[in-house]
Amino acid sequence: MRFVAIETATGASSVALGDGSTVAASAGRTDRRGHVGFLVPALDFCFAQAGWRPQEIDVVAVDIGPGLFGGIRVGLSTGQALAGAVGVPLAPVCSLDAIAFAAATGHRRVWAVIDARRGEVAVAPYRPVPGGVMRDGSAELVTPDAFRGLLESDPAQKLVVGDWPMLPEGMLLGIHGLRTGGPRHPSAAAVMEVARGLAEREAFPHPDEVRPFYLREPDVRINWSDFRREGPWPN
């Protein structure tokens, strides 16, 4: 089964093409504001490198967040357009799941963390299972202090992965059984691996039903009710 995986939910954008568990081509760039300029050329590059045509793919996998609002929208809209044009399923993947899967150790509980800005982080815990990890609680949007509290209340040996370097200095010091490491950002290759589980279960939503996983409202919203009260647009 041939996959196209798109990762633009964080500051490190990437694209990967793969057949089964083998990556046929990939491209990546770290730039929090460069998702639009990167994505389509990267897809073209990967198809050329792999020698594939879009009509030959079976699944489009895309990271739906949490992460950067603009980046999530760019990746999801491109993934929906590609899946719709080719007529293949769209596999939505959580960015926290992709980070945790890539960091699985086989014995440590994994805590994935992503910078959500505005003084908050998105976090989720994962327990080790044969072949990877399984989410062991809901994804939450918390302050760094609240995240430390979650880690202190977890008695397991644990590994914190993802955006932990952006936490306040010393925030993770002195927590029993804790180590840090693993990938800073999710990768398209990891998104593809997580999507394989959906493909094996054929658990695909309709592409038009897939929505961004923000965990909070956008920073800027139009108050359409105010416009309606004001009446028609002026000439």
Side-chain angles (χ1 to χ4, degrees):
M1 183 173 288
R2 291 186 168 185
F3 289 80
V4 174
I6 296 171
E7 163 52 53
T8 58
T10 68
S13 304
S14 56
V15 171
L17 272 60
D19 190 350
S21 59
T22 302
V23 175
S26 64
R29 183 174 73 180
T30 301
D31 182 353
R32 294 180 70 92
R33 298 182 181 273
H35 303 92
V36 174
F38 163 80
L39 186 51
V40 173
L43 285 167
D44 290 340
F45 169 81
C46 287
F47 275 110
Q49 287 292 107
W52 294 6
R53 295 180 298 117
Q55 294 79 6
E56 296 174 321
I57 63 175
D58 300 298
V59 178
V60 176
V62 61
D63 187 341
I64 61 170
L68 302 173
F69 281 80
I72 293 170
R73 289 193 292 267
V74 168
L76 180 53
S77 60
T78 302
Q80 287 173 319
L82 180 57
V86 181
V88 299
L90 182 69
V93 173
C94 171
S95 52
L96 293 164
D97 293 352
I99 293 177
F101 183 88
T105 66
H107 63 282
R108 282 184 177 268
R109 186 171 164 89
V110 175
W111 281 87
V113 54
I114 288 177
D115 182 9
R117 312 182 87 171
R118 296 201 299 186
E120 294 179 308
V121 291
V123 301
Y126 298 80
R127 59 183 174 86
V129 296
V133 294
M134 178 176 292
R135 197 188 301 176
D136 195 24
S138 60
E140 299 182 69
L141 200 61
V142 298
T143 65
D145 284 337
F147 181 40
R148 180 182 174 93
L150 291 172
L151 295 172
E152 288 178 326
S153 65
D154 183 356
Q157 296 291 308
K158 45 199 167 284
L159 174 69
V160 174
V161 298
D163 268 331
W164 62 266
M166 54 70 56
L167 294 170
E169 186 175 357
M171 175 64 66
L172 301 180
L173 292 178
I175 299 177
H176 174 73
L178 184 144
R179 291 184 181 177
T180 56
R184 172 74 184 267
H185 303 288
S187 68
V191 169
M192 183 169 61
E193 285 294 316
V194 175
R196 286 179 59 206
L198 293 174
E200 290 170 357
R201 301 191 305 273
E202 296 187 354
F204 298 117
H206 189 281
D208 292 340
E209 297 174 349
V210 179
R211 296 289 182 268
F213 185 41
Y214 288 140
L215 287 180
R216 71 163 174 241
E217 293 296 317
D219 294 334
V220 177
R221 292 191 300 162
I222 297 174
N223 191 336
W224 293 110
S225 61
D226 286 349
F227 280 111
R228 295 188 184 100
R229 284 197 297 269
E230 291 294 328
W233 292 98
N235 293 325

